[in-house]
Amino acid sequence: MTGAEVTSAQAVWESWFRAFLTIHQAWPDAVEVACPDGDGGRMRVGYLADPDTRLGTAMAWCDKCRRGIYISRVSVPEGAPMAGFEASAAEQASVVPPDLELFDPDPAPPSTA
Ligand SMILES: [Zn+2]
């Protein structure tokens, strides 16, 4: 049964990633996506990025359970909420709340770090 845990973590991450993608690809329209946990919460997405290149990290989280994922090296779509890497903590917190419980990054591919 080795690998069962990995597969489960992967499936969970992918369900959150699909929720993120739905929102990410809809900008500048704001779409409603339910929390993959089915807790009645709504998914939110915010971006921390370089204001010049608009490349950065996306956070996708549930406004109820406060859990979520982050995806790096993302191009920020027009109309999406974004704060610069150099922005103040308060400004970043207005885009991405500081109290989120983020899952580990995508467990599927081997780490390249
Ligand atoms: Zn939730």
Side-chain angles (χ1 to χ4, degrees):
M1 293 299 284
T2 53
E5 263 180 53
V6 171
T7 305
S8 164
Q10 193 175 323
V12 168
W13 196 93
E14 282 175 5
S15 68
W16 285 77
F17 184 69
R18 275 195 301 274
F20 157 74
L21 263 192
T22 302
I23 296 171
H24 179 72
Q25 293 172 340
W27 297 115
D29 292 327
V31 293
E32 298 232 356
V33 176
C35 172
D37 263 6
D39 59 12
R42 252 184 66 187
M43 291 292 293
R44 308 276 180 177
V45 173
Y47 301 82
L48 300 179
D50 183 316
D52 294 324
T53 63
R54 296 184 66 83
L55 275 176
T57 302
M59 317 278 177
W61 68 95
C62 165
D63 64 6
K64 187 164 187 182
C65 61
R66 315 299 289 174
R67 296 195 299 162
I69 59 171
Y70 64 96
I71 304 97
S72 49
R73 294 190 302 278
V74 170
S75 184
V76 182
E78 287 298 328
M82 176 185 119
F85 286 131
E86 307 288 317
S88 67
E91 195 179 330
Q92 292 192 351
S94 73
V95 173
V96 177
D99 64 336
L100 303 175
E101 183 194 331
L102 297 172
F103 292 113
D104 289 335
D106 185 359
S111 174
T112 53

